[in-house]
Amino acid sequence: MKMLNSNVCCMNLDEVVQKVGNVIIPSKNKAYKQLEVISSGDDKVIVGQTIYVPITAGYEIEIDREKFTVVNAREIILIL
């Protein structure tokens, strides 16, 4: 999988977020979610890093029954 245009593909490391209609209800009342980078189109974000993004950032995709989150590098608030 190759990401383009500063997009970053990640796996969710947090507990599942509950969705009610179009409203997102985070577990543990967090304002961010923790993700592990799987593929990156940005030079500053390296595969294997842990990143934090706002809970509403990015969008989910499903490939081979696995769920991934794709976010833009501009939405990242912290890289560990």
Side-chain angles (χ1 to χ4, degrees), residues 1-61:
M1 178 176 354
K2 182 176 179 179
M3 301 306 295
L4 304 172
N5 302 328
S6 297
N7 288 311
V8 180
C9 182
C10 307
M11 291 188 75
N12 198 348
L13 296 177
D14 284 337
E15 295 178 21
V16 177
V17 175
Q18 180 183 1
K19 291 185 178 181
V20 179
N22 289 334
V23 178
I24 298 174
I25 302 171
S27 56
K28 299 183 184 178
N29 295 328
K30 291 185 179 179
Y32 57 86
K33 55 186 168 182
Q34 183 180 8
L35 306 170
E36 179 183 354
V37 177
I38 302 299
S39 178
S40 177
D42 189 293
D43 296 338
K44 297 174 187 166
V45 183
I46 301 170
V47 173
Q49 288 182 322
T50 300
I51 61 172
Y52 286 82
V53 297
I55 197 75
T56 57
Y59 52 94
E60 288 188 4
I61 59 172

